[in-house]
């Protein structure tokens, strides 16, 4: 801690900050543009000027840029000094000489940092009388709108896009007051993190194109804390609703998870919620004796009674849960059918993979780092994961991790971390150790120290060899080639030499040996006194939660139904056709007398159900997800859906009540449901604490979901009825669907949005953090359910797999992941659907040659009677003897591993 | 003493009231006779058009947020050329207090209060006005202002650099600029 004097008042500030950070942490108002907490300072905009004095007798002082001046002990500055104020006012006036007269039609308006800073600096009269320079905009694809005239040349966008996110197709062009921020030619921005430009840019140059289609100002959005459902990382989001429609997703800072950013899948995948195809009514599908089906809308009460009848009379019901459904939903299903009749909804393989990850993290000495901590690692090995496409935000963190080791150069010559330009100058293009071993090339390869593409078994063998190189007691495979041994040595040396080594693995290769190999490596490191971290990606938003709850696999469920041991099958938020072979799922529907599906989006599975119950999508209900780190996080209802739509767990509870298994009071609130979860499943104890209970009150008040400026409350429904309806009740959280309530310091898991007087943009965040870039006041949201075991490491996993053997006729299927397309729900979102790649079957050049096919030729993939045709894409990075299949796009059978597929050329006829 | 004062006061009041019989009448025989209302009188709200006859409202939501009773709701949308306008625009006059804040907040002079208060209804529901009920055919007050002529946003018939006080777009590839 150091004492600094601001306007003659002493303040205690943390060491190592710059003055701007210090002032903002202290809650003082100081304007700025080019500094960004995640990007550091470059001193480009001159907006943050303050007066610095030599000592208390110095009355003259000099102007300094607060973002470029360390907050060193006893420094004396003035924010309120007349000259400094005038300087800041002048700077903003100059920045705005060419600014268009656009606020009313600018999507940034109302949350514009430029508006805020203009008001803060006091500039209000335009004296510039000449013509304004103008620019032509570019079409940057389906996500981002470009309005270049609004630029104030702060350079944040390029620094974010190129330096931070590693994008290449965006830059600054031209010179002096003509500088232009965009692409070299119009076209879709390639970075998977482009959406963050919307929040990084302090003006309306980059705005959300999906929001523009149903534009709403920030103050009119009803918001609540939520969790992204599009991958296993559980980034925190703020969905915004207006007129019963989800209007946008914004980042919600969580210092331990996503920090300041989101990936484009998370930001733009939301529109499935607004789809006209949504399941919004109870649907009953009647099949007469002739097999003719009629689909009709049914009344909720009737259907519940009908289902209660089905479930009574000694009928056996089984429940199939889902890794994309909340903990509560899976648990409610388990409670309805009984633990012995409950199935996780994941295939046997997936259940095994996720369970083994959890087991490793629970029994081993290695800690699973939070997403934020991944960025602190200084040597990383990625085993089998295409991180950018499977867990996108983890890739963004890895892009920061490679800066850690070379940063030592800057530290040595005394450059503080926040001095971005100086640090980058000192580090140049040096990158810290990052090793990537994957079946095919990945986007992160460009920053990797070295890469290794091989079949999954061979990746596991490399992992075993690394573990063996660290600790000779760790087993290694037979016949390890010199090349692999050499690489393993290099990786081992790098990991051992690091302060915070990290190994990343996951389920993408559907290969348990890879997961075990990763465990062996970190355990070997831990054994040799290197505090290594181990992070697994999780396939879906609640895979870990579903696995912690336990239950048998989907394969067993199908078998149970086939054997005639189940009359009623209840499926919660799961499209079985995406997971199991078509023939198997068809068999399930054939053998089951009654199938009930609860889901929010129409799927191949809902199409077959006898009864479909409309489930709430994530902004329409409450629940808890457990992310890959084992962090339980609550998502809170943003708005009340229309009609019969309700959370799946509420449907299941209604069924329990209807069948007389529970009384009406049971699980009346989410909190009570979670109390039952904790009681029944010790592995999930803690889930109840990830947000305060519904009875929580701040100074006796609830927390408002609507801004204090929320408009139109007496008119928005007046066309239906001029009398305003009563405020909807929320039994599940301390939030209210109102503008009234407590607005002040709150537990972070309840904060609907970040706003402070004078700070209407995302930059208001500094008012809610303990320190810049640090945790939110009162602690970041989420409860970690998985911590490493104390005591000695378990025994190494033995038996590395044999060397991958190429087969003569068949090829091993390797899933290739796509950020846009591989995930089920986001793929239903129209803006994102535009970016989904066309179907393909990828072959290595030698396989293509053997099959006599070239790029674009059609091949047929065959496996157990199923056939699928796709054009060939020849990829030199793919190992020989495999065929790359796009995950989530091709039929499930071709993705289940290990699948040996016969590939044949289809001759054009 | 007190009682005398009181009697005086009563007589004085009676006298004053009586004197009013000889004053000029303030009451007008409404509705046969209409009072004069100043142009800036705050009555029935209208949406005006710009000098070119197009809708002036750009759907910025400022009137809605300024409204202390929250009786304005709208949804903005754009035509194919990027021009913003309200998809729907609703005022619930059964809530409106005619404070005029909406007019003050409006950056385009679209929303204006007019000297008309004759809008009573037997059914409260009929006091809900939609855009069709609000939109008039002229510019109302401020007849010359046209927001899109000054704004930087390109719309149909006005490209980049064609607004008032704008120079032609620069070519970022030009080396000599
Ligand atoms: S960027 Fe901000 S100041 Fe500029 S037009 Fe948009 S809202 Fe207004
Ligand atoms: S486009 Fe935005 S972020 Fe980039 S320089 Fe301009 S104002 Fe700054
Ligand atoms: S990384 Fe995953 S959780 Fe985070 S925003 Fe992207 S899809 Fe959502
Ligand atoms: S303030 Fe004016 S331009 Fe903006 S929405 Fe209201 S009427 Fe339209
Ligand atoms: S914020 Fe300090 S110069 Fe831009």
């Amino acid at each position: 801690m150091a004492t600094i004097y601001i306007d003659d008042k002493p303040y205690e500030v943390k060491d190592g900050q710059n003055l701007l950070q210090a002032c903002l942490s202290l809650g003082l108002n100081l304007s700025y543009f080019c500094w960004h907490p995640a990007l550091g300072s470059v001193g480009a905009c001159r907006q943050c000027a303050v007066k610095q004095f030599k000592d208390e007798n110095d009355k003259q002082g000099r102007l300094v840029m607060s973002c470029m001046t360390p907050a060193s002990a006893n420094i004396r500055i003035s924010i309120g000094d007349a000259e400094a104020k005038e300087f800041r006012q002048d700077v903003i006036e100059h920045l705005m000489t060419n600014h268009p007269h656009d606020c009313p039609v600018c999507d940034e308006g109302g949350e514009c940092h430029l508006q805020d800073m203009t008001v803060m600096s006091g500039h209000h009269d335009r004296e510039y009388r000449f013509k304004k320079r103008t620019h032509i905009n570019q079409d940057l694809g389906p996500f981002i709108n470009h309005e270049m005239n609004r630029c104030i040349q702060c350079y944040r966008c390029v620094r974010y896009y190129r330096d931070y996110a590693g994008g290449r197709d965006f830059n600054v062009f031209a010179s002096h007051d003509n500088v232009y921020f965009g692409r070299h030619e119009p076209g879709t921005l390639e970075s998977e993190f482009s959406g963050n430009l919307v929040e990084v840019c302090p003006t309306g140059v980059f705005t959300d194109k999906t929001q523009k289609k149903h534009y709403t100002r920030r103050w009119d959005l009803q918001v609540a804390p939520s969790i992204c459902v599009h991958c296993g990382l559980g980034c925190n989001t703020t969905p915004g609703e207006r007129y019963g429609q989800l209007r946008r997703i914004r980042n919600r800072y969580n210092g331990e998870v996503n920090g300041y950013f989101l990936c484009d899948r998370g930001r733009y995948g939301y529109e499935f919620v607004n789809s006209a195809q949504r399941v919004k009514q109870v649907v009953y599908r009647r099949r007469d004796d002739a097999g003719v089906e009629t689909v009709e809308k049914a009344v909720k009460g009737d259907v519940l009674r009908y289902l209660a009848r089905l479930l009574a009379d000694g009928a056996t019901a089984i429940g199939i849960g889902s890794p994309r459904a909340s903990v509560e939903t899976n648990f409610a299903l388990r409670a309805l059918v009984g633990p012995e009749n409950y199935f996780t909804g994941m295939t046997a393989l997936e259940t095994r993979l996720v369970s083994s990850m959890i087991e490793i993290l629970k029994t081993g000495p290695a800690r699973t780092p939070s997403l934020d901590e991944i960025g602190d690692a200084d040597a990383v090995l990625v085993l089998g994961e295409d991180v950018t496409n499977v867990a996108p935000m983890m890739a963004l963190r890895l892009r920061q991790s490679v800066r850690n080791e070379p940063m030592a150069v800057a530290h040595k010559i005394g450059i503080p971390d926040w001095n971005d330009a100086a640090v980058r100058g000192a580090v140049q293009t040096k990158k810290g150790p990052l090793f990537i071993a994957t079946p095919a090339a990945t986007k992160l390869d460009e920053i990797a120290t070295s890469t290794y593409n091989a079949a999954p078994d061979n990746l596991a063998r490399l992992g075993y060899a690394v573990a063996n190189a660290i600790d000779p007691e760790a087993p290694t495979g037979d016949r390890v080639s010199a090349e692999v041994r050499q690489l393993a040595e290099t990786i081992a040396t790098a990991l051992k030499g690091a302060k915070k080594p990290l190994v990343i693995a996951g389920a993408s290769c559907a290969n348990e040996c890879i997961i075990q190999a990763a465990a062996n490596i970190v355990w070997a490191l831990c054994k040799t006194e290197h505090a290594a971290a181990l992070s697994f990606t999780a396939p879906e938003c609640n895979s870990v939660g579903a696995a912690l709850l336990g239950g048998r696999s989907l394969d067993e469920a199908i078998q149970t139904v086939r054997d005639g041991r189940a009359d009623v099958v209840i499926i919660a938020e799961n499209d079985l056709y995406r997971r199991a072979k078509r023939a198997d799922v068809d068999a399930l529907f054939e053998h089951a007398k009654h199938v009930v599906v609860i889901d929010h989006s129409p799927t191949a599975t809902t199409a077959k159900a006898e009864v479909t119950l409309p489930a709430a999508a994530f902004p329409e209900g409450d629940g808890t997800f457990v992310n890959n780190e084992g962090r339980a996080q609550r998502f809170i209802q943003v708005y009340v859906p229309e009609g019969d739509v309700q959370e799946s767990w509420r449907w299941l509870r209604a069924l329990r009540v209807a069948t007389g298994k529970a009384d009406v009071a049971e699980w009346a609130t989410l909190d009570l449901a979670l109390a039952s979860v904790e009681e029944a499943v010790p592995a999930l104890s803690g889930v109840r604490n990830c947000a305060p209970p519904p009875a929580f009150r701040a100074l006796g008040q609830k927390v408002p979901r609507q801004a204090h400026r929320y408009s139109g409350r007496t008119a928005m429904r007046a066309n239906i009825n001029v009398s305003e309806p009563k405020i909807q009740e929320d039994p599940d959280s301390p939030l209210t669907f109102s503008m009234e309530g407590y607005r002040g310091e709150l537990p972070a898991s309840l904060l609907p949005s970040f706003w402070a007087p004078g700070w209407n943009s995302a930059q208001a965040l500094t008012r809610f953090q303990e320190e810049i870039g640090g945790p939110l006041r009162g602690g970041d949201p989420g409860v970690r359910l998985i911590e490493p075991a104390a005591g000695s490491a378990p025994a190494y996993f033995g038996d590395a797999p044999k060397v991958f053997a190429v087969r003569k006729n068949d090829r091993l299927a390797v899933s290739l992941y796509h950020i846009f397309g591989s995930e089920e729900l986001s793929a239903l979102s129209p803006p994102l659907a535009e970016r989904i790649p066309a179907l393909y079957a990828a072959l290595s050049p030698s396989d293509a040659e053997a099959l006599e096919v070239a790029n674009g030729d059609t091949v047929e993939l065959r496996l157990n009677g199923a056939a699928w045709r796709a054009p060939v894409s020849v990829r030199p990075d793919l190992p020989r003897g495999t065929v790359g299949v796009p995950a989530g796009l091709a039929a499930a059978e071709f993705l289940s591993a290990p699948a040996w597929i016969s590939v044949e050329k289809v001759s054009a006829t | 003493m007190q009682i005398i004062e009181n009697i005086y006061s009563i007589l004085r009041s009676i006298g004053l009231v009586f004197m009013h019989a000889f004053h000029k009448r303030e009451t007008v025989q409404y509705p046969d006779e209409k009072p004069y209302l100043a142009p800036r009188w705050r009555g029935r709200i209208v949406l005006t058009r710009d000098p070119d006859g197009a809708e002036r409202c750009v759907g910025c939501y400022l009137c809605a947020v300024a409204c202390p009773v929250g009786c304005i709701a709208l949804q903005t949308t754009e035509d194919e050329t990027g021009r913003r306008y309200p998809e729907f625009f609703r005022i619930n006059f059964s809530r409106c207090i005619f404070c005029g804040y909406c007019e003050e907040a409006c950056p385009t002079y679209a929303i204006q209060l007019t000297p008309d208060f004759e809008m009573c209804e037997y059914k409260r529901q009929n006091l809900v006005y939609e855009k069709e009920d609000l939109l008039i055919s002229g510019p109302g007050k401020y007849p010359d202002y046209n927001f899109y002529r000054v704004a930087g946003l390109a719309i149909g018939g006005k490209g980049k650099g064609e607004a008032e006080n704008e120079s032609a777009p620069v070519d970022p590839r030009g080396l000599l600029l």
Side-chain angles (χ1 to χ4, degrees), chain A residues 100-107 126 128-138 147 149-150 173-176 178 180 183-186 212-217 219-220 242-243 247 709-724, chain B residues 58-62 64-78 82 84 88 90-92 94-95 107-108 124-125 127-128 130 145 147-148 150-154 160-162 164-177:
Chain A
H101 187 70
D102 264 4
C103 294
V105 287
C106 174
D107 288 359
R126 187 180 162 82
Y128 185 77
R129 302 252 174 268
F130 305 95
K131 284 191 186 275
K132 292 179 186 177
R133 176 264 294 125
T134 60
H135 282 298
I136 301 284
N137 301 326
Q138 290 181 330
E147 190 62 47
N149 284 351
R150 299 175 187 151
F173 303 92
S175 58
H176 60 91
N178 285 342
Y180 188 91
R183 280 173 50 92
H184 65 291
E185 60 183 17
K212 194 168 186 273
K213 299 225 164 75
H214 36 230
Y215 182 68
T216 310
R217 293 249 180 252
W219 62 64
D220 280 341
R242 179 78 177 174
Y243 302 132
R247 295 287 166 101
R709 293 173 180 153
Y710 194 76
S711 80
R713 68 204 176 282
T714 64
M716 52 200 295
R717 284 173 220 89
N719 54 331
I720 305 162
N721 187 347
V722 72
S723 309
E724 287 99 46
Chain B
V58 299
C60 71
Y61 297 99
L62 289 178
V65 73
C67 177
V69 292
C71 74
I72 305 179
L74 69 145
Q75 174 59 51
T76 188
T77 187
E78 318 184 324
R84 283 261 165 114
F88 74 82
R90 183 180 309 131
I91 301 184
N92 176 357
S94 78
R95 287 288 189 190
T108 68
R124 205 180 138 205
Q125 187 67 45
L127 284 167
V128 177
E130 297 291 338
Y145 188 69
F147 171 79
Y148 280 116
V150 258
L153 202 72
K160 286 280 171 220
E162 289 169 17
E164 278 170 22
N165 228 4
E166 275 187 353
S167 46
V170 295
D171 173 10
R173 291 167 202 275
L175 287 176
L176 297 176
L177 285 167

Side-chain angles (χ1 to χ4, degrees), chain A residues 182-204:
Chain A
R183 280 173 50 92
H184 65 291
E185 60 183 17
T188 302
L189 286 169
E190 283 161 15
S191 169
E192 295 78 11
F193 309 101
S194 65
N196 295 310
L197 284 176
V198 171
E199 286 177 63
V200 166
C201 173
T203 74

